[in-house]
Amino acid sequence: QVQLVESGGGLVQPGGSLRLSCAASRNIFSINIMGWYRQAPGKQRELVAHITSGGTTGYADSVMGRFTISRDIAKNTMYLQMNSLKPEDTAVYYCNAHTTTVVTSYDYWGQGTQVTVSS
């Protein structure tokens, strides 16, 4: 079991920046993959960025070059630095942790945090 708590969302103008944080209730060393998802009204939930236990990162085409995912093992925290924000980035952002074993897999989700990009 792992609890995930997001922070850092809010209202920002186009071109501005925000940093989202996801604090885990236990160490994240053994979590296979962590990521950020987002869901805008009327749209499907999409994977924005992910990071593996080995530090490998990946990004959706829509955010590549603008967003950066990272994690601090000592603080049990994952971050999403969002720069050059656009109105189409407006969505509820969710922190996710995914782990697998030989016989099963687990997905843990944060409660979601609203990001609104508007002038």
Side-chain angles (χ1 to χ4, degrees), residues 25-46:
S25 61
R26 65 170 177 83
N27 79 82
I28 60 176
F29 180 79
S30 61
I31 298 176
N32 299 115
I33 302 174
M34 297 187 71
W36 289 96
Y37 289 75
R38 69 184 182 187
Q39 187 165 22
K43 296 185 178 180
Q44 299 292 318
R45 183 180 298 182
E46 64 172 343

Side-chain angles (χ1 to χ4, degrees), residues 9 30 47 74 78 85:
S30 61
L47 177 64
M78 179 179 66
L85 283 163

Side-chain angles (χ1 to χ4, degrees), residues 83-105:
N83 298 325
S84 301
L85 283 163
K86 305 174 180 179
E88 51 263 44
D89 295 319
T90 296
V92 178
Y93 284 71
Y94 298 91
C95 177
N96 170 262
H98 179 78
T99 187
T100 61
T101 68
V102 174
V103 297
T104 191
S105 63

